[in-house]
Amino acid sequence: MTVDREVRLTGVFAGADLETVHAVGVAFLRKHVARPVPEPCDILVTTSGGRPLDATLYGAEKGLLTGLGILKPGGTFLFAAACEEGIGGSEFTDLVMRGLGHEAFLAEVTAEGAPVVKDQWALENLAKAARHGEILFWSDCLPRDFQQSALKGFVTPVESLQAGLERAFDKHGPDARVIVLPHGPYVLPYVKNGNEVKE
């Protein structure tokens, strides 16, 4: 089953051969959400597509993942999320509040015998993005001092999107390639004649 942004049904796929049904559904969805870009970018401006995902950091981090394939390694994410409901559920919030940077967090959760904590996957995704490139983060609802302390090692807070963009251009130069992905997790961008869309 596929739905659009308003959660209206757009397709139903069924049959006895599940692999074929899945392939047909993926091909249908790809026509609607996969978008080629000519080459990877230095700066990716992205969001989680607004509510409900950007209500918390837990939901908003999904806006970074779809851009991994089009942002050059070492590039810069300029990431905006309101987060008016805060960080997320208690388990995710507890993980964030420990104040580990992304490398320390990944080392801890991948150590042999490490326990799996509910919702740790979301912080793993944020760490994966932080490992790929710098994340300049703007939120008008999370206090900046909180961002600087609790999110240190994952994101770098910026005062505004303009300030973040200026910082990214300072790092990558005036000819840096920029891609804007306003609907984050609702689009599957890929490099034309390069990275294929992963299923």
Side-chain angles (χ1 to χ4, degrees):
M1 174 174 71
T2 57
V3 296
D4 64 15
R5 282 189 54 106
E6 284 77 40
V7 195
R8 295 178 300 215
L9 189 63
T10 59
V12 175
F13 310 92
D17 181 355
L18 295 182
E19 289 185 16
T20 300
V21 170
H22 181 261
V24 169
V26 167
F28 173 83
L29 192 58
R30 181 177 284 138
K31 285 190 275 185
H32 298 282
V33 300
R35 296 292 178 264
V37 298
E39 60 187 85
C41 63
D42 302 291
I43 303 167
L44 178 64
V45 182
T46 189
T47 73
S48 59
R51 280 190 74 73
L53 292 181
D54 89 338
T56 64
L57 183 62
Y58 170 81
E61 55 78 26
K62 296 169 184 72
L64 297 165
L65 294 181
T66 56
L68 287 175
I70 62 169
L71 180 68
K72 292 176 183 175
T76 299
F77 292 98
L78 178 53
F79 180 51
C83 299
E84 72 266 15
E85 294 177 17
I87 298 295
S90 61
E91 292 89 350
F92 182 73
T93 299
D94 289 347
L95 287 171
V96 170
M97 296 304 291
R98 294 184 54 220
L100 297 176
H102 71 275
E103 292 295 349
F105 171 76
L106 287 172
E108 182 177 281
V109 299
T110 58
E112 188 170 335
V116 176
V117 178
K118 179 182 175 190
D119 295 338
Q120 85 179 33
W121 64 271
L123 197 55
E124 287 178 49
N125 286 340
L126 187 60
K128 181 179 179 181
R131 183 178 267 180
H132 186 80
E134 178 183 29
I135 303 172
L136 302 180
F137 179 61
W138 179 79
S139 169
D140 57 348
C141 296
L142 287 178
R144 190 176 163 122
D145 60 338
F146 172 80
Q147 293 178 48
Q148 290 173 323
S149 59
L151 302 178
K152 184 178 181 180
F154 285 91
V155 304
T156 300
V158 292
E159 293 180 13
S160 67
L161 293 175
Q162 182 64 39
L165 198 54
E166 289 170 6
R167 179 177 169 146
F169 274 112
D170 285 347
K171 178 179 179 181
H172 299 287
D175 296 325
R177 181 169 174 73
V178 179
I179 294 178
V180 178
L181 193 62
H183 301 294
Y186 302 109
V187 179
L188 293 176
Y190 63 98
V191 177
K192 189 174 184 177
N193 299 322
N195 296 339
E196 295 297 319
V197 175
K198 304 289 189 245
E199 296 175 12

